[in-house]
Amino acid sequence: MSGQDFSPRRCVLIGGGVIGAGWAARFVLNGLDAVLYDPSAQSRARAQAILDMARAAWMRLLPGALPAEGRLHLATTLEEALEGADFVQENLPEIETLKFDVLARIDALLPPSVPIASSTSGLLPTRLQAGLRHPERFVVGHPFNPVYLLPLVEICGGEQTSAETRDKVAAFYTAIGMQVLHVRKEVDGFIADRLLEALWREGLWLIEEGVATTAELDDAIRYGAGLRWAFMGTFLTYRLAGGDAGMKHFLAQFGPALKLPWTKLVAPELTDELIERVASQSDTQAAGVSVRDLESLRDEALVKIIRTLATVGPQGYAAGATLNAFAARHAGEGADGSVAADGTLTSWRGMVPLDWIDYNGHMTEHRYLQVFGEATDHLLAAIGAGPDYVATGHSFYTVETHLRHLGQAHEGTAIMVRTRVLDADGKRLHIFHTLTAVGDDTPLATAEHMLIHVDAAQGRSAPIPDTLASAIATLCAAKEALPPPEGAGRAIAMPRRS
Ligand SMILES: NC(=O)C1=CN([C@@H]2O[C@H](COP(=O)(O)OP(=O)(O)OC[C@H]3O[C@@H](n4cnc5c(N)ncnc54)[C@H](O)[C@@H]3O)[C@@H](O)[C@H]2O)C=CC1
Ligand SMILES: C[N+](C)(C)CC(=O)CC(=O)[O-]
């Protein structure tokens, strides 16, 4: 089986704490069924709370359509959880002996074709897989908190992990919107946590020495390097710090500092006194704001940063490019292209994200044009004039648009567009979109467009070929039987005063 063929439906989480529940939310929001096993009495409430937070974040993150949510099921035994599993993600506490024990039980209960991934932050896969009957299906898939928002996942195989397991788990993570970093050489802590731990060690040393508090250390990151790390990391940033001469000049200038005793990189002894100092500084820093409220702030900031990165450059930058690739794979998912008896086509379906809202508290004007534009694209794809057709050198251009705003769409509203072809001739297509909230037929906006078929190379109009004409005729047929939609052909005019 190649990576591309692996598309699990039933994903099992063993351990449902911060990470297990975060994975469950990512799976469910991707339309997969998540089965979670965790003996803790809090696991159900925690999984539901994290799913609710994740849903709220995704509604703002991903404006386009997403698959219908999968189901979240809480299993009461390991055996029940693993029944019919297609994929298992282990998220037990970071205790090697516990993982050895539970992984061996999982391995014994599952057919050998089902991959088992561990979320471990740093335990070595070669050791974790050693006691398994089928070690080749085991791999580390190390995520980052919150799993439902941060795309990074490190994949690290052990000595016995098969290339097939690595490939199919990597393809699966990519399909659910993640950015895979292959750790090509097994090493404690993998790549990202080694970097994070170096910084953390240094921070603890600075606290112990009385140089800085937890709040000052965080300020040192969040007002400076942290902002650029979000999209360039360390090495690309330092390349720019070398000016036009780039990395060589940077190393020549700042390399000698590596020999100076700037860093300690030693973990100070975690004495009771140091633990108390770090914890009480952290309490002061949090200023009474609850963990839930801090998580909400974190999620809102992450959503806005990732969405902003999605608008940088032609395809988005860093995590924004990952988001765009994920959104593109799901584009038009809710626009099923189905044609109802009245000749309307469902051409767009999605949520109103946070950054589509303007100062009046509702969806801003240009987003309507964006949604209607994408709805037109789906209509064109439905009649056979999608990207493959455009690649042949012909296309439809919109030459006139009339948009009406009839109601308000608010943040998080599920909206959809239905489209009718009102008329067509040898070169023109006259279409009408109606945007409503899902489940409510009251129009919130309508758009009427005239499109013209063109030969793009010649830069002029061209006859619609027969290959498209029959699909257009089918959509057009309803116009004879139905009255035109309310507002079609309307021009802007001041209301008459009597
Ligand atoms: N918290 C973090 O920031 C990150 C943690 N990780 C890794 O993810 C794994 C889980 O970490 P967290 O979610 O933070 O821990 P956690 O302590 O929040 O959750 C662990 C869960 O496992 C459950 N559990 C204990 N024994 C069990 C058993 N026999 N069967 C099923 N469930 C059992 C516990 O009830 C608990 O809910 C660890 O390996 C950790 O290194 C990875 C990335 C980030
Ligand atoms: C602290 N930690 C080692 C559990 C952190 C991680 O593994 C990744 C993260 O989310 O920072």
Side-chain angles (χ1 to χ4, degrees):
M1 182 189 279
S2 80
Q4 306 307 324
D5 300 330
F6 181 61
S7 45
R9 279 242 28 104
R10 190 175 162 95
C11 300
V12 176
L13 294 313
I14 304 300
V18 173
I19 295 304
W23 275 117
R26 186 177 272 277
F27 294 150
V28 167
L29 292 170
N30 266 281
L32 307 173
D33 291 337
V35 181
L36 190 148
Y37 171 63
D38 187 322
S40 152
Q42 282 86 50
S43 58
R44 179 176 297 275
R46 183 173 43 214
Q48 196 53 58
I50 290 186
L51 177 57
D52 290 345
M53 280 200 304
R55 185 186 295 110
W58 274 46
M59 277 163 50
R60 293 160 176 80
L61 188 67
L62 286 147
L66 282 170
E69 273 185 27
R71 279 168 307 177
L72 174 65
H73 174 69
L74 275 286
T76 49
T77 62
L78 186 67
E79 290 72 12
E80 181 202 338
L82 296 174
E83 185 78 43
D86 298 317
F87 175 72
V88 175
Q89 183 81 36
E90 169 274 304
N91 321 281
L92 297 162
E94 192 78 333
I95 303 167
E96 200 180 39
T97 47
L98 175 67
K99 294 209 194 243
F100 285 157
D101 176 44
V102 180
L103 284 170
R105 288 172 57 210
I106 297 170
D107 179 52
L109 286 162
L110 285 177
S113 59
V114 179
I116 305 172
S118 170
S119 296
T120 178
S121 298
L123 301 175
L124 294 179
T126 293
R127 288 173 58 80
L128 292 177
Q129 72 189 167
L132 308 188
R133 285 185 316 167
H134 295 287
E136 72 288 347
R137 48 111 147 240
F138 177 84
V139 72
V140 165
H142 173 229
F144 292 77
N145 186 38
V147 182
Y148 54 82
L149 277 181
L150 294 191
L152 184 64
V153 58
E154 291 178 307
I155 291 204
C156 184
E159 283 165 14
Q160 298 187 74
T161 305
S162 69
E164 186 198 359
T165 298
R166 242 190 306 241
D167 288 352
K168 65 186 184 182
V169 173
F172 171 54
Y173 287 150
T174 304
I176 59 170
M178 303 187 88
Q179 179 73 28
V180 171
L181 178 63
H182 282 282
V183 181
R184 65 176 81 125
K185 193 167 173 186
E186 200 179 358
V187 59
D188 300 282
F190 316 122
I191 297 170
D193 276 356
R194 291 181 76 93
L195 298 177
L196 294 178
E197 192 173 300
L199 194 66
W200 191 43
R201 279 169 188 254
E202 197 63 20
L204 288 172
W205 185 86
L206 289 165
I207 292 172
E208 194 195 34
E209 290 295 307
V211 176
T213 62
T214 56
E216 288 161 350
L217 289 168
D218 286 348
D219 285 352
I221 299 296
R222 66 198 184 126
Y223 292 110
L227 288 173
R228 60 193 190 205
W229 276 338
F231 51 90
M232 277 198 169
T234 299
F235 285 87
L236 212 44
T237 298
Y238 280 177
R239 178 183 178 81
L240 303 186
D244 288 341
M247 186 53 93
K248 279 217 167 123
H249 175 63
F250 178 80
L251 286 169
Q253 185 169 204
F254 300 105
L258 292 170
K259 296 225 162 63
L260 302 175
W262 278 12
T263 48
K264 287 285 177 208
L265 289 181
V266 288
E269 186 71 23
L270 283 180
T271 58
D272 290 348
E273 196 274 323
L274 181 58
I275 290 172
E276 191 44 48
R277 186 148 26 126
V278 174
S280 89
Q281 285 181 3
S282 176
D283 289 346
T284 309
Q285 181 184 4
V289 182
S290 70
V291 168
R292 268 293 162 275
D293 287 346
L294 285 172
E295 283 172 340
S296 288
L297 278 173
R298 174 201 65 191
D299 284 7
E300 188 183 337
L302 282 173
V303 166
K304 287 183 172 167
I305 289 169
I306 298 171
R307 279 195 59 81
T308 300
L309 290 175
T311 65
V312 176
Q315 274 149 357
Y317 198 43
T322 308
L323 179 74
N324 286 342
F326 179 67
R329 282 197 297 278
H330 288 282
E333 202 129 299
D336 54 13
S338 60
V339 182
D342 65 358
T344 56
L345 176 103
T346 302
S347 54
W348 201 93
R349 204 184 252 270
M351 299 278 187
V352 180
L354 180 92
D355 58 335
W356 286 19
I357 302 300
D358 64 17
Y359 49 82
N360 290 319
H362 52 214
M363 182 161 134
T364 200
E365 285 170 283
H366 71 278
R367 296 298 183 182
Y368 285 90
L369 189 55
Q370 176 185 334
V371 168
F372 287 129
E374 290 175 10
T376 300
D377 291 345
H378 291 135
L379 168 79
L380 293 176
I383 62 167
D388 290 347
Y389 181 72
V390 173
T392 67
H394 288 80
S395 187
F396 281 90
Y397 291 177
T398 303
V399 290
E400 191 171 342
T401 290
H402 179 200
L403 233 147
R404 293 188 309 155
H405 300 278
L406 307 170
Q408 303 184 65
H410 296 286
E411 179 195 334
T413 308
I415 53 174
M416 65 187 294
V417 176
R418 291 192 186 86
T419 300
R420 276 179 64 183
V421 176
L422 297 186
D423 210 345
D425 65 12
K427 287 186 178 173
R428 273 168 290 258
L429 197 55
H430 181 189
I431 66 173
F432 193 88
H433 297 301
T434 304
L435 185 150
T436 63
V438 173
D440 180 348
D441 286 341
T442 316
L444 298 177
T446 65
E448 189 172 352
H449 306 285
M450 186 65 80
L451 279 71
I452 193 148
H453 186 256
V454 292
D455 179 330
Q458 303 290 326
R460 47 171 192 259
S461 64
I464 296 174
D466 291 346
T467 45
L468 305 186
S470 62
I472 293 172
T474 309
L475 285 171
C476 241
K479 84 167 194 251
E480 312 301 335
L482 285 175
E486 193 281 317
R490 189 178 181 280
I492 294 181
M494 293 296 273
R496 287 243 169 82
R497 294 190 193 97
S498 54

